[in-house]
Every structure is written in C-alpha cells, then in structure tokens.
C-alpha cells in the first residue's frame, strides 16, 4: 500500500489535491472539511509521515487560527451571545463560528498541500516536469533550489565557523546583530553568486536550456488509468464547485 | 554531422507568444483586483464567499504562472543559475532574521537581489518561483505569487532607472514598492483567507475592524503599515549586498552593464 | 549572418588552429593574452604551464568559446575548429553557440564541481545530462552510459549521489561526461591539483585512455613535473603569451629543512597536546578519529599526512577550538590561528587591506602591523583590490594574512599548499620559519608528500579507517 502511494505519478497526486481543495472549499461544510483532514492524516500514516504532517500543519495553523479569532471573533459586529469577555474585549459566538469556518478552509489547503509535499519524491517531480511540455527551465529551477538549500545551509555553517576562528561577530545589541548579519550574508551571497555565475557557462556548454526536444534518462511510471484520473480530477475541480456555487450564488 | 558553432537569431514568432502570455497574465491580475475592489463582495463565509475565495485564489495563481511562462524562455543562463541561489537566500536569510524575533519578514532579499542584478523579468520569475517552491513547505503562500512577482519586477525596474546609483535611493524605491505590493496582495489575504496568518498582523487588522472598517480596507491598511517598511529594509540590504560584490562579478551581468545600474562604469 | 567565406571548409589535418592577437577582459587595463598561436593534432598532449594569474584559465575559456563574453570583453583572432572558421575582431564578436562548440572541444574547469549540473540524483543521470538536452532517446543513453563507464572504469560510481563525491571522483565523473560527447579536443584546467596519490593515478590513467582513443588533450597547470614524460609539447604562459618551455625539472623551492629547531624543541613545553582524544560529528555513527595522541611543542613544525577523508581537517578544527572532543583530553596553551581549506569562507571585505585589518582596534599594535604583513606576503601591490578578484594563490595568501596579523603562537594550516604557485610556496615557507623563530609552533595538513618532507620536522600519519 505504501509503495503504491509513493509510486503514483507526481502529477496524479497534484491533480487529486487540486480537486480535493476545490471541492472542499466550494462545499464549505464543516464535516466535509474535517473528513478531508482526517483522510489526509490517514494517508500520511500509511506512508509513515503522519507525525511530520501533523507537526508541520500545526505550526502553520496555530498562528492563523489565533489571528482569525482576533479579526472575526473579537471585532465581530453581530449581536450573537458573548462566549467570553476580558474587560472591554469580548468573543462572540457568531464571530467564533466565522473564524472557525475560515480556519477550516485554510486547514484543508494546508494539510492537503503538505501531504503532497511529503508524498511526492522530489526527483520524480523534477523528471515529470522535464518530460512534460513545460519549458525545460522550470524543472531546472525546481531541482536546483531543492538541492541548493541543504548545501547553502552547510555553507552557512562553514562561514559561521570561519568567522568564529577570526573572532569576528561577537558584538552584542543591535549593532552586534547587524554586524553578524553582514558577516553571515556577505560571504554567503558573494560565494554563491560567484558560484552561480561560474556554473552558468558550463551549463550552457552542456546544452542547457534545451532548444528543441529533450529527454530524460529517469523514468516516471505512468499509466493510462492515471492519465484518465488526472483529466477527470482537473475537469471536476472546475465543474463541481461551479455546480455547487452557481445556484447558491443566485439564492444569496 | 557537424553542429553549428554560432547561434541563430531569435525568431519573431516566439517573441510574440511571450508578449501575449505576459499581457494575459497582467490583464488577469489587474482585472481580478479591480473586480474585487469595485464589487467588494461581502458574506465571506456563506454562499458567495467560497466562490470569491476560489476565484481569487485561481486567478492570482494562474496570472503568476502565465507571467512565469512569459519570461522563463527569455532568461539568459546566468540569470537562471542565479534564481535558485536567490530562492535559497530568501529562506536562509529570512530564517536568520526570524530567529531573533525582529517584527519583519525580510523573506524577499533574494528576489530583490535578482531584480537588481538580472533585471525585472528575472526578478518577477524569481518571485513566482520562490512562492511556488515555498508552497511545498507552506501551502498557504500560493496565491501570494503575484505579489512576489511584483516585488521582483519593481526591484528590477528601480535598478534600471537608477535606484542603485545612490545608496539612499534604494530604500525609497523599496518604500514605493512596498505600498504597491501591499495593495495588490491584500485581496488575497482578505478574500481567500479572511484575514492574515500572523498573530501580530492579525491584531492590527482586528484593531482596524473594530474601528468600523470593512475587511478589505482593514487588511489593506495593515499591509500599508508593515509592507513599505519591510520592503525598504529589504531593498537596502539587497543594495548593500550588490555593492559588496566585486566589480568584476557584478559587471558580468548584462543587465548591469546595459543600464549602468551601478552608475558610470569605471568609477572603481 | 556570417558570410560564406567564413563557412568554407578549411583544408587542414589539425584538430584546431588558433591565432589569437589579443584578449582583454572588460574593464581591464591591459591584455591578458596576446600573440598566441596554437595548433593541435589528434591524439597529442600539450601541456601549458604558468604561474597563478598568468592567464591559464582565461586561455582555457577562450579555447572553449566561453570567452570573450559578448558585448564585454574584446578579442582579436581567428579559430579554425571542425572545418569552420571563426573570426573575432574588436568591433564584431560572433554569437558563439557554446553547446555546439562543446561537441568539438570540451573544457574541464579548474573546479570540476562547477561542471556538474548539481540537479541530478545519480552519477548515471549526470553523465548524460548534455545528451538529455539534445533529446537523445533513453535506450541510446543507457548504452552510452554502459559503454563509457566500462571504458573509463567508472561502474562503481554510477549509482552515487554526484554532490557527495570527493574531489578526485568529481573530476573523474566530469571527465567521463565530457568525453561522452566524443569531442576531438579536451582542455583540462589543473586536473591534478589537490588530489591524493591514488586519485592522481586514476585521473592520469583516464587521460592516457582518452589519448589512445585519438582525443587531443591540452593540460593547463602550475607545475609541469607530472607531465614532462608524456607531453609532446611543453609550453609556458608568461606575460600573456606562449613560449616553448625548457624540459629541465624545476629546481625545488629552496628552504632547506630547518633542523636546528627540532632538537631544541624537545625540551619545550607542548603548546598543543592531544591525549587519547576521540573526535566526531553530531549524528555520525562512528567517530572520525579515535585514540589520538599528539603533542606539538614550541619551535616545532608538524605535518599531518593521510588520504582523503581520514580526518585531518577534523583534527585541526579541534585544535582551533571549533570542535569539542567526545572523549580524552585536549590542551591548548597558546593563542591559535587557523587557515581553512577554503579561503573564501573567511573573506568578506571590499579590499585586501580592510580585510586584514578587520576587527582590529583602531590604534592597536596589530593594526600597525598590517602594512608589514602585506609586504611580507607580497600583497602590497594589490592592497586595494577586492579579495575575490585576486588569483587563487594570492587569495589564499590574503586569508593567511588575516590569521597572521594576530600573531598566533600556534599556527594551524589546512592544506596550505593547495592553489599556491611556486612564489606563493616560497612565501609560505618563510612564514612558517618566522613563526617558528619567534617561538611558535606550526601544525599543517597536506597531500603534497614532498612539501611535507621539506618543511615538517615530524610527520603524523593519520591511520586509515
Ligand atoms: N572576469 C575577469 N575580469 C577581469 N580580469 C580577470 C577576470 N578573470 C580573471 N582576470 C584576470 O586575468 C588574469 C588571469 O587570470 P586566470 O584566472 O586566467 O589565471 P590562472 O593562470 O588560471 O591562475 P590560477 O593558477 O590561479 O588558476 C588575472 O590577472 C586575473 O586577475
Ligand atoms: Mg586558473
């Protein structure tokens, strides 16, 4: 089962995600949103990533929820009963409901999106983009960023060590902080911009970006069924919300 | 078979296609924004709210992708290798700043840097890509791609018209860019998410709301408070970083040479 | 856009004919290269030597069509490559298709890692990156990989992650990827710098195989010793122009072994002492170094020898206080200063002077020492240059200068000879001597056995894992 999920074509996963988010947002009923979130966590558990998924989405959703409660709960202008009050500030029931609805809407996007990020193998995604009609630059930029990130973190660490050896950047207060920012940023930017520049000529010499057809050695498993699923999912993510919203909009 | 040693000239048909894509993206963005501001849809949660949320989300995202497709094929390889560096810098320097609890986001230093070094197209592409890739880790940023594109675009434009020739001009350009970006991005925050995602910014919006503002105007006012300052600092930092680069390196970017971004060449 | 005359095939048996009148970088005030004439025949080996900053890499770039950059550098000259004639003139430089050019002439850059795309998961994918861009069908690519990896014996690396290769392996992979296009000429910039003896042997063997297959090779190098036996043509690059080189071996840099100090040192107190020390990194399964016993006394110069990956850098970092031992006792009783393997990490100022004076009190004694240090390291002429604009050798000396201004008694050097040219080596030897003379100690790591033999009083060999 786990292998099944991780071996899906990356685009299939993405299309299904678009479909899920579109339908759940359009329907905007609390039980559907909750069901989607629970289902995502279950899939995450099957793939062995449930804990990471929960931690990451929690980190994003908590501040969002607080912010929404403040905006809609505290400053609500409706006359629904007050749940709690701290001096002049009070939280109304109507306001809290609005905030919860909005938070659920965002939560669906966050959980589904993060699940995609965790399920899709980055190299497969890059290969799939390369093999699609998208411009060849797109795959390069995605791949290069994902691989550069850990490398530059390491570089950042090495620079920190080098500065420590020179006993630089030990100041305190705002001036010290600015000094440290400069000592970190300047060598990092200098060396990485130089590296990027030197690299570019050799990339060009290796025929990048391809001007005509290009191919990939890596294979991305795909099937007729998955291709069908993708089209249906995309079509439905336009049609289903339209069907839900159009009569509704007329009534509102 | 003997491959050519010389490059062919660029064809006019390709150029036209890119123009059309770029124009379509811009139109979609401006159209959506105007529609939202003029009609001011209400009822965020019931009925219409979801339609507006989905439509705004889709329109901003599609506009950003169209703009990306328009500029990507034109970028020189030296800009292409620079973009990933910028994306990583956005994240790493953003983190360094975030770790000391300064109330700024500073998450666009790399984007602005590319705008300064490689021009507005590369800057815009960096903005969009930065958002797309960052969304793998934080999906909520997706519809802000258009705003990020605008940051890069404005940085490139500012550099082209001389914002880097004097150190004090950069933060001023940043201030102006911050106003524009704040205005353009607030409909996303208001209509897609119904507010903001930070606790501090949320408090500001709540304060404006309690003074009787509509959600959109409250969010816009909040953005106008925090964005210009943030962008002014980002533009200043990015400018200082560009000044720190050796002349030989900065001079190797065609954009810098062509528009004399750093002032008269030869003032070593 | 080129007229017919330029396209006309040229009668010639040589793989390349070049006549270069001059080459000048944008914003430079003199020609970096001038009056060069070069002809390469298939299967030949041409070795071009020159000091750091003499223009070897520049020449490599010109050969590979990467220089002059359009609209920036100015160049005058004529190429005849693959039967096509390309004319450069100051008014008009043709728009070169570097990818097409690379089919005929491949360049292995000085830092081979730059050649790798850094976006592929396995070496196999990296090898065919250029073919992918040409749209070669998958089946042909698989065959190509099999063919080249057996021919150049690279099978053991095919499934490895290209970003986790050692310097020597990186060079092998880049070289294989280069040759997969079957170019008639390959230019190698410093192919042996910084490699240990095993890696050197592997790279040399690969070069011999490529030559046997009829590829013309050009090697750009600081020292010719390793190549004199094989090369057909030996040239030196000096003052921007090529001259035939004399075949006599270069006299080794002077600096006889300063034996006097070693005897005196025995009685001194140790400045640095490891006793049963174990060193390792967080998250790694096994420690890098275990049961290390080493003492360095005042007046003593100790060399660390050992293959790649045996923990020389780790040891030095621990001595500098960057790494705490997991077990055992480490005692450092003197102010220490360390030169890192990669000098760029240490540099962040706009000029060499500011760089060296960074962080020193305005009116202190150390600040007053800056001009003398510049003089001592031969950097006085580039005091106002950006450190990044210096040639590799000088940049390394700048990093050394930033350490020396603080007059450490214990000097730690990680691969100090890497990137240094003969003049730089001479300066390094003088610096080591001066530290020893004023009662300090030096601990350095190196691959260069001859440098160790010449400089160190004592050698500590790192045990193989
Ligand atoms: N982009 C550039 N713009 C201007 N001058 C440059 C540029 N690159 C190199 N130079 C200068 O050209 C000269 C030759 O440099 P080059 O890198 O070719 O030397 P090298 O012989 O390869 O040195 P090394 O042995 O250190 O690699 C040096 O003086 C250098 O400062
Ligand atoms: Mg060189």
């Amino acid at each position: 089962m786990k292998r099944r999920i991780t071996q899906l074509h990356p685009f299939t996963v993405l299309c299904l995600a678009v479909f899920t988010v579109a339908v759940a947002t359009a329907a905007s009923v609390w039980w559907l949103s909750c069901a989607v979130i629970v289902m995502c966590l279950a899939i995450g558990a099957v793939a062995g990533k449930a804990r990471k998924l929960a931690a990451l989405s929690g980190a994003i959703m908590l501040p969002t929820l607080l912010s929404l409660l403040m905006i809609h709960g505290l400053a609500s202008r409706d006359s629904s009963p007050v749940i709690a009050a701290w001096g002049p500030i009070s939280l109304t029931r109507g306001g809290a409901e609005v905030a919860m609805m909005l938070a659920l809407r965002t939560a669906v996007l966050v959980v589904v999106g993060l699940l995609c990020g965790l399920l899709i193998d980055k190299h497969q995604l890059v290969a799939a983009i390369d093999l699609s009609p998208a411009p060849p630059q797109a795959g390069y930029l995605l791949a290069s960023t994902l691989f550069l990130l850990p490398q530059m973190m390491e570089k950042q660490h090495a620079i920190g060590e080098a500065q420590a050896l020179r006993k630089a950047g030990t100041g305190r207060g705002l001036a010290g902080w600015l000094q440290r920012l400069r000592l970190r940023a300047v060598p990092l930017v200098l060396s990485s911009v130089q590296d990027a520049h030197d690299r570019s000529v050799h990339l060009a010499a290796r025929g990048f970006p391809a001007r005509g057809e290009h191919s990939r050695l890596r294979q991305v498993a795909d099937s007729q069924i998955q291709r069908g699923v993708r089209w249906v999912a995309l079509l439905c993510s336009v049609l289903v919300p339209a069907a839900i919203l159009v009569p509704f909009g007329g009534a509102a | 078979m003997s491959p050519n040693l010389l490059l062919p000239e660029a064809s006019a048909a390709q150029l036209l296609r890119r123009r059309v894509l770029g124009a379509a993206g811009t139109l979609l963005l401006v159209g959506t924004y105007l529609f939202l501001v003029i009609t001011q849809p209400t009822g965020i949660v019931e009925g219409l709210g979801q339609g507006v949320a989905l439509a705004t989300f889709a329109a901003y995202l599609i506009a950003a992708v169209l703009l990306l497709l328009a500029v990507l094929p034109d970028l020189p390889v030296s800009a292409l290798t620079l973009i990933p560096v910028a994306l990583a810098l956005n994240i790493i320097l953003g983190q360094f700043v975030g770790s000391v609890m300064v109330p700024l986001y500073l998450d666009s230093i790399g984007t602005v840097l590319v705008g300064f070094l490689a021009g507005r197209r590369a800057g815009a592409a960096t903005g969009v890509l930065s958002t797309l890739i960052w969304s793998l880790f934080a999906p909520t940023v997706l519809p802000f791609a258009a705003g990020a594109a605008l940051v890069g675009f404005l940085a490139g434009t500012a550099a082209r018209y001389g914002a880097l020739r004097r150190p004090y001009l950069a933060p001023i350009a940043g201030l102006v860019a911050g106003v524009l970006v704040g205005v353009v991005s607030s409909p996303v925050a208001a209509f897609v998410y119904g507010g903001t995602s930070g606790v501090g910014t949320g408090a500001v919006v709540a304060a404006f709301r309690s003074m009787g503002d509509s959600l959109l105007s409250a969010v816009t006012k909040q953005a106008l408070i925090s964005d210009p300052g943030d962008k002014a600092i980002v533009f200043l930092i990015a400018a200082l970083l560009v000044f720190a680069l050796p002349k030989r390196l900065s001079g190797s970017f065609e954009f810098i040479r062509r528009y004399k971004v750093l002032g008269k060449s030869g003032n070593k | 856009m080129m007229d017919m005359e330029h396209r006309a095939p040229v009668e010639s048996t040589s793989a390349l004919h070049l006549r270069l009148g001059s080459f000048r970088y944008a914003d430079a005030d003199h020609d970096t290269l001038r009056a060069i004439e070069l002809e390469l025949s298939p299967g030949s080996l041409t070795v071009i030597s020159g000091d750091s900053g003499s223009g070897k890499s520049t020449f490599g770039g010109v050969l590979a069509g990467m220089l002059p950059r359009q609209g920036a550098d100015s160049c005058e000259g004529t190429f005849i490559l693959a039967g096509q004639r390309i004319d450069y003139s100051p008014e008009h430089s043709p728009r070169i298709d570097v990818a097409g050019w690379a089919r005929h002439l491949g360049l292995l850059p000085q830092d081979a890692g730059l050649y790798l795309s850094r976006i592929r998961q396995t070496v196999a994918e990296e090898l065919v990156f250029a073919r992918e861009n040409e749209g070669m069908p998958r089946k042909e690519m698989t065959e190509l990989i099999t063919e080249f990896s057996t021919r150049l014996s690279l099978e053991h690396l095919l499934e490895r992650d290209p970003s986790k290769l050692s310097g020597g392996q990186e060079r092998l992979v880049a070289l294989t990827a280069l040759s997969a296009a079957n170019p008639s000429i390959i230019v190698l910039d410093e192919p042996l710098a910084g490699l240990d003896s095993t890696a050197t042997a592997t790279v040399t063997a690969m070069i011999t195989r490529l030559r046997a297959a009829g590829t013309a090779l050009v090697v750009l190098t600081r020292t010719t010793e390793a190549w004199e036996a094989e090369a057909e043509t030996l040239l030196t690059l000096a003052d921007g122009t090529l001259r035939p080189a004399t075949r006599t071996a270069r006299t080794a840099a002077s600096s006889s072994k300063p034996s006097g100090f070693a005897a005196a040192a025995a009685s001194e107190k140790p400045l640095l002492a490891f006793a049963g020390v174990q060193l390792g990194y967080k998250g790694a399964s096994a420690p890098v170094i275990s049961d290390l016993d080493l003492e360095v006394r005042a007046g003593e110069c100790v060399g660390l020898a050992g293959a790649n990956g045996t923990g020389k850098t780790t040891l030095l970092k621990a001595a500098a206080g960057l790494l705490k031992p997991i077990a055992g006792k480490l005692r450092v009783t003197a102010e220490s200063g360390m030169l890192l393997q990669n000098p760029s990490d240490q540099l962040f100022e706009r000029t060499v002077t500011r760089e060296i004076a960074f962080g020193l009190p305005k009116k202190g004694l150390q600040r007053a020492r800056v001009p003398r240090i510049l003089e001592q390291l031969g950097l006085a002429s580039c005091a106002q240059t950006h450190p990044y604009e210096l040639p590799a050798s000088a940049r390394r000396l700048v990093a050394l200068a930033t350490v020396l201004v603080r007059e450490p008694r214990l000097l730690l050097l990680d691969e100090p000879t890497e990137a240094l040219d003969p003049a730089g080596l001479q300066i390094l030897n003088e610096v080591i001597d001066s530290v020893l003379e004023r009662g300090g100690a030096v601990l350095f790591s190196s691959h260069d056995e001859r440098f160790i033999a010449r400089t160190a009083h004592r050698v500590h060999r790192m045990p193989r894992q």
Side-chain angles (χ1 to χ4, degrees):
Chain A
M1 186 64 190
K2 180 178 169 181
R3 281 196 54 199
R4 274 271 182 77
I5 293 178
T6 45
Q7 276 186 352
L8 281 178
H9 192 282
F11 288 172
T12 311
V13 179
L14 286 177
C15 288
L16 287 175
V18 169
F19 170 73
T20 317
V21 172
V23 171
T25 310
S28 191
V29 281
W30 66 269
W31 52 264
L32 183 61
S33 302
C34 289
V36 167
I37 294 173
V38 170
M39 201 179 70
C40 284
L41 287 173
I43 296 176
V46 172
K49 308 248 161 117
R51 198 174 298 159
K52 205 165 172 196
L53 179 61
L56 285 176
S57 25
I60 298 178
M61 279 318 294
L62 216 64
T64 309
L65 184 63
L66 270 179
S67 160
L68 286 172
L69 270 178
M70 271 194 281
I71 294 173
H72 298 280
L74 302 183
S76 173
R77 271 162 284 163
D78 65 0
S79 49
S80 53
V82 171
I83 311 174
W86 305 269
I89 309 170
S90 57
L91 183 63
T92 62
R93 194 191 158 116
E97 266 171 15
V98 173
M100 284 314 287
M101 261 341 271
L102 285 171
L104 264 184
R105 184 198 276 178
T106 311
V108 168
L109 173 66
V110 168
V111 176
V112 172
L114 283 176
L115 182 65
C116 281
L118 291 175
L119 285 186
I120 296 174
D121 177 43
K122 307 292 182 312
H123 289 277
Q124 292 296 96
L125 178 61
V126 172
I129 292 178
D130 279 344
L131 291 170
S132 76
Q137 287 93 337
Y140 169 80
L141 291 172
L142 175 65
S144 181
T145 311
L146 291 176
F147 305 137
L148 252 178
L149 254 179
Q151 275 171 32
M152 281 180 61
M153 293 277 194
E154 238 166 69
K155 182 101 197 155
Q156 161 91 343
H157 183 72
I159 290 172
E161 277 190 344
Q163 313 290 18
L165 279 176
R166 288 186 63 178
K167 307 191 175 49
T170 46
R172 253 177 280 146
L174 183 66
W177 180 77
L178 282 176
Q179 174 81 296
R180 268 201 303 285
L181 178 63
R182 180 172 88 99
L183 293 183
R184 284 293 168 99
V186 171
L188 186 69
V189 171
L190 240 99
S191 60
S192 47
V193 170
Q194 180 84 56
D195 183 87
H197 174 261
D198 295 345
R199 210 169 273 289
S200 64
V201 271
H202 298 289
L203 265 182
R206 298 182 79 185
F208 177 86
R211 256 172 275 136
E213 283 283 299
H214 51 279
S215 58
R216 278 299 302 262
L217 177 68
R218 176 182 285 263
Q219 270 166 315
V220 186
D222 202 1
S223 63
Q224 206 60 48
I225 300 175
Q226 287 197 49
R227 232 164 279 149
V229 167
R230 289 207 287 273
W231 281 115
V232 173
L234 278 188
L235 208 64
C236 287
S237 40
V238 176
L239 293 183
V240 173
I244 297 178
L245 290 172
V246 169
F248 230 0
Chain B
M1 174 195 60
S2 167
N4 251 328
L5 298 181
L6 298 178
L7 282 173
E9 299 290 311
S11 83
Q14 288 169 327
L15 218 68
L16 183 71
R17 219 187 98 222
R18 284 163 211 164
R19 288 260 163 77
V20 170
L21 280 175
T26 318
L27 269 182
L28 185 57
L29 190 62
V30 174
T32 317
Y33 179 74
L34 287 181
F35 176 78
L36 288 173
V37 172
I38 292 169
T39 58
Q40 291 263 359
T42 44
I44 288 193
V45 191
E46 337 62 53
L48 199 58
Q50 304 121 31
V52 173
L54 274 180
T56 312
F57 191 116
Y60 267 64
L61 184 58
I62 292 173
V65 171
L66 283 178
L67 288 174
L68 181 64
L69 290 181
V71 298
L72 217 43
D74 273 345
L75 291 180
V77 188
S78 62
L80 282 176
T81 50
L82 193 61
I83 290 176
V85 170
L87 305 188
L89 283 178
N90 278 349
I91 295 169
I92 293 175
L93 292 184
Q95 241 179 27
F96 183 75
V97 173
S99 66
V100 291
M101 296 301 289
V102 178
L104 298 166
Y105 355 105
L106 304 194
D107 53 358
S108 47
I109 295 181
T111 310
V112 174
L113 194 70
V114 173
F116 284 170
L117 289 176
R120 49 193 188 187
R121 293 195 196 163
T126 313
V128 177
L129 281 161
S130 163
T131 316
L132 291 184
I133 291 175
W134 190 231
S135 75
L136 287 177
F137 309 100
T140 45
V141 298
L142 259 185
F144 292 104
L150 193 61
V151 176
F153 184 86
L154 291 174
T157 314
R160 184 164 167 174
Y161 294 112
L164 288 189
R165 294 192 195 135
R166 300 268 178 286
Y168 58 84
L169 288 179
I172 297 178
L175 221 57
V176 177
V179 171
L180 287 171
V181 173
V183 167
V184 168
S185 322
S186 5
V188 176
F191 295 120
V192 177
Y193 300 117
T196 62
S197 55
V199 179
T201 48
V204 178
V205 177
F208 280 119
R209 284 269 286 168
S210 62
M211 284 187 257
D213 278 333
S214 75
L215 185 63
L216 178 60
S217 68
V219 171
T220 309
K221 281 180 184 166
Q222 176 270 322
L224 286 183
I225 287 179
S226 49
D227 272 28
D230 178 61
K231 295 296 172 292
I233 294 180
V234 165
F235 270 53
L236 180 65
I237 294 181
L240 292 178
L241 287 173
V242 171
F243 295 148
L245 293 181
K247 282 265 157 15
R248 191 181 284 177
L249 180 57
S250 51
S252 65
F253 289 95
E254 209 209 318
F255 174 72
I256 295 218
R257 279 202 312 267
R258 163 120 58 104
Y259 296 105
K260 302 212 167 52
V261 169
L262 296 173
K264 288 193 300 294
S265 64
N267 59 341
K268 284 216 162 183
Chain C
M1 59 155 287
M2 300 294 289
D3 30 294
M4 282 317 290
E5 181 216 359
H6 292 158
R7 287 276 170 89
V10 184
E11 209 52 53
S12 149
T13 54
S14 65
L16 168 89
H17 185 103
L18 164 70
R19 191 197 57 73
L20 187 67
S22 69
F23 173 88
R24 177 184 297 215
Y25 277 111
D27 301 329
D29 47 13
H30 63 280
D31 291 342
T32 303
L33 301 173
R34 62 192 171 81
I36 288 178
E37 184 123 30
L38 185 69
E39 182 145 7
L40 300 175
S41 52
S44 65
L45 174 63
T46 309
V47 174
I48 298 178
S49 65
D51 284 345
S52 187
S54 58
K56 301 182 299 293
S57 301
T58 309
F59 189 50
V62 172
L63 284 176
M66 294 167 181
L67 294 172
R69 297 159 297 175
Q70 261 243 325
D73 311 321
S74 66
C75 180
E76 194 274 308
T78 308
F79 262 96
I80 298 169
L81 177 63
Q84 294 182 50
R85 181 186 159 117
I86 309 282
D87 282 317
Y88 291 102
S89 67
E91 304 82 52
H92 169 83
S93 63
R95 280 165 33 98
I96 302 293
D97 177 2
V98 278
W101 195 289
R103 298 284 211 82
H104 300 296
L105 192 155
L107 169 69
L108 178 73
Q110 193 159 0
D111 176 1
L114 290 177
Y115 184 83
L116 306 180
S117 69
R118 283 282 180 266
I119 56 167
R120 293 294 188 247
Q121 194 180 16
T122 62
V123 168
E125 286 175 90
E126 184 65 56
L127 288 181
V128 289
F129 179 71
R131 306 285 84 72
E132 290 180 338
N133 289 328
E134 283 162 17
M136 183 186 264
R138 188 171 288 135
K139 208 163 130 273
E140 283 174 44
M141 285 197 277
T142 329
E143 284 162 12
L144 195 75
I145 291 174
T146 329
E147 183 196 330
F148 271 85
S149 56
T150 32
R151 183 134 72 84
L152 301 170
S153 52
L154 202 77
E155 295 98 332
H156 60 293
L157 291 179
L158 284 183
E159 289 309 312
R160 293 274 296 274
D161 177 352
S163 61
K164 299 210 168 70
L165 299 175
S166 73
Q169 291 169 333
E170 234 168 31
R171 246 168 262 188
L172 288 180
V173 171
L175 201 49
T176 315
L178 259 179
S179 50
N182 265 326
S184 48
I185 305 164
I186 293 184
V187 179
L188 307 158
D189 197 352
E190 300 282 3
L192 300 182
L195 296 189
D196 60 20
S197 47
T198 2
T200 305
T202 331
V203 173
T204 326
M206 186 181 273
I207 289 172
T208 315
R209 287 203 201 116
L210 285 171
R211 240 184 113 190
T215 314
L217 288 165
V218 178
V219 172
L220 306 169
T221 172
R222 275 183 215 115
T223 54
T224 49
E225 282 145 275
W227 304 99
E228 286 191 352
E230 308 229 352
E232 267 134 40
T233 327
L234 270 176
L235 300 167
T236 33
L237 184 59
D239 300 327
T241 189
L242 280 180
R243 290 200 199 83
T246 43
R247 261 176 200 265
T248 51
R250 208 169 37 83
T251 45
S254 58
S255 168
S256 60
K257 194 161 172 166
S259 51
F261 299 107
S267 56
E268 294 277 351
K269 260 189 40 191
L271 298 182
L272 171 73
F274 290 92
V277 166
Q278 201 174 59
L279 293 170
Y281 294 96
K282 260 204 293 298
S285 52
V288 182
I289 297 176
S290 38
D291 291 329
L292 172 71
D293 293 301
L294 175 68
E295 282 191 354
V296 182
R297 291 165 194 279
E300 201 178 26
C301 177
V302 180
L304 291 174
N308 293 102
T310 44
K312 298 188 293 284
T313 303
T314 311
L315 195 161
L316 288 170
K317 275 187 182 169
L322 284 181
L323 206 67
K324 294 266 166 294
I326 304 173
K329 263 188 72 168
L330 163 62
R331 228 174 28 169
V332 187
T333 54
E335 179 86 358
S336 70
M338 176 167 173
L339 175 71
L340 291 177
Q341 193 163 0
N342 181 0
S344 310
D345 291 347
Q346 271 168 316
L347 307 180
F348 45 80
E349 279 284 4
R350 271 200 308 273
T351 68
V352 169
T353 312
R354 291 177 61 140
E355 186 70 61
I356 297 174
F358 177 83
L360 303 179
K362 277 257 154 25
K363 293 209 182 66
L365 241 160
Q366 293 181 322
R367 173 77 63 133
R369 231 181 268 143
V370 172
R372 217 190 61 225
I373 296 259
L374 282 174
E375 198 64 47
Q376 186 189 359
L377 297 189
L379 294 169
S381 58
C382 50
Q384 295 308 317
T385 318
H386 197 296
Y388 261 73
E389 295 189 347
L390 294 173
S393 180
R395 200 185 315 172
R396 193 115 187 135
L397 292 176
V398 171
L400 183 59
T402 64
V403 177
L404 284 180
V405 261
R406 291 165 192 272
E407 297 218 319
R409 271 193 80 197
L410 176 61
L411 185 60
L412 306 163
L413 307 168
D414 197 2
E415 298 286 349
T417 59
E418 205 174 283
L420 287 189
D421 58 9
L425 268 181
Q426 177 74 36
I427 292 174
L428 176 66
N429 275 317
E430 286 165 17
V431 165
I432 291 179
D433 287 350
S434 74
V435 170
L436 298 180
E437 253 163 71
R438 61 161 201 258
V442 178
L443 178 63
F444 71 89
S445 71
S446 179
H447 284 310
D448 188 343
E449 290 288 343
R450 294 202 306 148
F451 176 78
I452 296 183
R454 225 163 42 219
T455 317
H457 301 126
R458 193 149 64 74
V459 183
H460 178 84
R461 292 209 177 270
M462 307 295 290
R464 232 171 224 293
Q465 243 76 42

